[in-house]
Amino acid sequence: MTGRRILAIDQGTTNTKAVLVDEGGQIVERASVPSVSDYPHPGWAEQSADEIWRGVRQVISDIVQRVGTEGIAGIAITNQRESLVVWDAETSQPIAPCILWQCRRTADATRALHEAGHNALVTERTGLSINPLFPASKLGWVMQNIPEATDLAASGRLRAGTIDCWLLWNLTAGGVFATDHSNASRTQLFDTEQLRWDAELCALFGAPNAALPETRASDAFMGETQGVSGLPDGTPILAMMGDSHAALYGHAIREPGLVKATYGTGSSLMVLSSERVGSTHGLSGTIAWSRGQQVVYAIEGNITVSAQAAAFTADLLGLEDAAALSALAETTESSGDVCFVPALSGLGAPHWDDTAKGAISGLTLASNRAQIARATFEAIAMQIADVFTAMERDVGRRLEGLQADGGASANGFLMQLQADLLDRCVTRRDIAEIGAMGVAAMAFETLGVASEQILGQAQSEDFAPAMDAQDRDRILRNWRAAVERVKT
């Protein structure tokens, strides 16, 4: 007889995945469909909210068609964060494209808020410095630029939420409008101490408080499915977390000391903190997750363009993909003095310069394609190292190592380079879908199954520093100088 299983949905920027996990921590089945992003104007980034929901339905259908629904005890959701969906509660139709976390359309508006002196208040309440990354300014933009939004807000029909909230709404046929504390903490509208939407912040950003969802613990009962093709009505939704939070949970990190880094389109580093703290080194305070009445806090750094830099450079050099770029990079032992700063959508943590532009420096007639390729991977690793160093300054002590996940972490060359440039051990766990496994583990815990039983099966691989100190120092000096040059 089939034991209990959790269907974990992982809705990301580049694809939507689902995995079916059993009580032994084994992935029974998996499915994936690509996500398409649009860039209608310089600095803008969007996706179709309808296509996001269609992708979720597809991966659910694919798994159910292969293995059926026997044993599915519940659903868990993890999602790309800071992306905003706004819709009509009566029709369940989006009134605008989903504005992605990468979108910088509100750069001028957020800069004005900074200049008006509002950043201290926002940071104190939310842990987040004012930035276009977060949904607060995006919702303000919708209210100013989408005429339908004002009328819907006036009639009580406007709904605004992050991707988890949008998926929950659709999974329950509009029966539940809610988000979890981890996702709410990334909106810049949520007081992470009081655990409530902040009316003063909503007014500051022009975001209608009444359009925001109910907030619940990450392991709260979120509702039951209704009308989802392939799934029985009444399938419970047992846990929700933002993707970076779920990855941290999936690494089984429960105490401060180790840093989690997710290598994706962008990258997120997160380290647990013993209390709610604000960063003074360009990072963010956030809620890692909440279980019942217990709220766990963390410090996070977000990098806007991370592994995406490899695909970008591969295209520039006429290579097939990032794997081909990596193969080219490995043909040279040094990048020389070539340095690439991938500020292709501004600079994220810890620099936070929205108007910075990418640059390749240090070129001479002796430079070659392989050195540019290697410099790209060094740039990915150096961005991580910058955030790691800022975290150490915030917590006031040495951090012991890095736990890596995300698609680009499968690249052993990059992981070794990361260990070399960080001068710390880097551990890669052999779970491709670590965020989905993390939120599945939390869902299983609501059923009485220990997370160790779910997460303890994964193998890991360690990468120890091996680079000569002089080579490391040269790369660090070149990187720091290049970053200063691209800042505006």
Side-chain angles (χ1 to χ4, degrees):
M1 180 177 178
T2 301
R4 290 180 297 181
R5 297 169 170 177
I6 293 294
L7 179 59
I9 297 165
D10 182 356
Q11 202 296 305
T13 311
T14 57
N15 51 54
T16 296
K17 301 177 183 176
V19 295
L20 189 62
V21 184
D22 67 19
E23 288 186 68
Q26 300 299 313
I27 294 179
V28 177
E29 191 57 82
R30 49 171 54 89
S32 178
V33 297
S35 302
V36 177
S37 298
D38 296 315
Y39 307 96
H41 303 287
W44 289 34
E46 302 175 346
Q47 288 180 346
S48 164
D50 284 331
E51 287 300 317
I52 290 172
W53 170 231
R54 188 172 294 114
V56 169
R57 296 201 313 269
Q58 182 64 55
V59 293
I60 292 173
S61 176
D62 289 348
I63 285 180
V64 169
Q65 286 180 8
R66 294 170 197 159
V67 298
T69 61
E70 184 180 359
I72 296 180
I75 292 172
I77 299 171
T78 185
N79 55 282
Q80 59 168 303
R81 303 170 309 155
E82 293 116 11
S83 297
L84 177 73
V85 182
V86 183
W87 68 96
D88 181 345
E90 186 171 296
T91 65
S92 293
Q93 293 300 305
I95 65 170
C98 170
I99 305 176
L100 294 184
W101 56 274
Q102 279 185 312
C103 190
R104 317 307 285 178
R105 72 183 65 192
T106 61
D108 290 342
T110 53
R111 189 179 305 111
L113 290 173
H114 265 285
E115 293 171 352
H118 296 297
N119 194 57
L121 169 68
V122 174
T123 303
E124 193 279 327
R125 301 272 176 90
T126 70
L128 311 173
S129 181
I130 296 174
N131 191 273
L133 172 73
F134 305 112
S137 64
K138 296 179 174 72
L139 182 51
W141 183 92
V142 168
M143 298 307 298
Q144 291 181 352
N145 293 276
I146 306 297
E148 189 178 358
T150 302
D151 294 338
L152 289 174
S155 64
R157 289 168 48 183
L158 189 68
R159 300 290 181 268
T162 43
I163 296 295
D164 60 309
C165 182
W166 170 242
L167 298 184
L168 181 63
W169 175 272
N170 283 286
L171 286 165
T172 61
V176 181
F177 182 46
T179 188
D180 92 294
H181 289 148
S182 74
N183 277 289
S185 75
R186 305 301 298 173
T187 62
Q188 209 155 59
L189 297 170
F190 189 69
D191 186 319
T192 58
E193 182 176 21
Q194 301 297 324
L195 300 183
R196 65 189 182 196
W197 301 115
D198 189 288
E200 190 173 358
L201 296 183
C202 287
L204 178 66
F205 285 100
N209 197 330
L212 300 175
E214 176 189 350
T215 60
R216 301 179 181 178
S218 305
D219 68 345
F221 172 72
M222 297 291 179
E224 298 179 336
T225 58
Q226 180 69 39
V228 180
S229 179
L231 284 179
D233 286 350
T235 302
I237 300 152
L238 300 174
M240 296 199 311
M241 276 190 284
D243 52 10
S244 194
H245 314 252
L248 185 68
Y249 205 83
H251 279 290
I253 296 174
R254 302 292 183 268
E255 296 179 353
L258 287 173
V259 178
K260 180 278 310 179
T262 299
Y263 294 76
T265 304
S267 280
S268 164
L269 282 77
M270 194 177 286
V271 63
L272 292 180
S273 58
S274 56
E275 58 186 354
R276 180 181 180 268
V277 298
S279 170
T280 57
H281 296 93
L283 306 179
S284 302
T286 193
I287 293 176
W289 53 74
S290 56
R291 299 175 60 197
Q293 300 302 310
Q294 181 187 20
V295 178
V296 179
Y297 293 97
I299 299 171
E300 182 175 10
N302 298 100
I303 298 164
T304 310
V305 174
S306 182
Q308 188 179 20
F312 177 85
T313 304
D315 184 61
L316 283 183
L317 296 181
L319 299 174
E320 184 176 354
D321 53 23
L325 186 77
S326 179
L328 177 61
E330 292 180 66
T331 65
T332 182
E333 295 183 357
S334 172
S335 58
D337 287 327
V338 177
C339 189
F340 174 35
V341 180
L344 306 175
S345 186
L347 281 172
H351 309 287
W352 295 116
D353 188 333
D354 294 328
T355 58
K357 300 292 191 298
I360 299 175
S361 60
L363 294 171
T364 70
L365 289 173
S367 302
N368 57 52
R369 297 165 78 245
Q371 290 177 326
I372 294 173
R374 187 179 180 94
T376 300
F377 287 95
E378 289 175 355
I380 296 169
M382 281 308 309
Q383 289 188 110
I384 298 289
D386 280 353
V387 174
F388 190 98
T389 299
M391 284 180 166
E392 289 190 316
R393 291 171 178 163
D394 270 337
V395 301
R397 65 182 179 88
R398 176 186 171 93
L399 295 171
E400 296 307 314
L402 190 76
Q403 301 273 345
D405 66 82
S409 70
N411 186 318
F413 168 66
L414 174 60
M415 293 297 96
Q416 183 59 55
L417 198 57
Q418 186 69 76
D420 290 339
L421 295 176
L422 198 60
D423 198 25
R424 297 289 193 285
C425 181
V426 172
T427 299
R428 177 177 65 192
R429 298 195 77 198
D430 187 23
I431 307 178
E433 301 92 349
I434 195 163
M437 290 296 292
V439 77
M442 180 174 282
F444 267 120
E445 286 179 324
T446 70
L447 302 176
V449 180
S451 64
E452 293 81 3
Q453 184 171 323
I454 306 303
L455 302 173
Q457 309 304 313
Q459 302 297 310
S460 62
E461 182 177 2
D462 292 334
F463 297 83
M467 182 178 284
D468 182 89
Q470 287 185 329
D471 290 337
R472 181 187 305 115
D473 290 344
R474 175 183 55 79
I475 294 170
L476 264 60
R477 284 196 307 271
N478 287 340
W479 168 260
R480 288 165 182 161
V483 168
E484 289 304 312
R485 282 194 296 270
V486 304
K487 288 182 179 180
T488 55

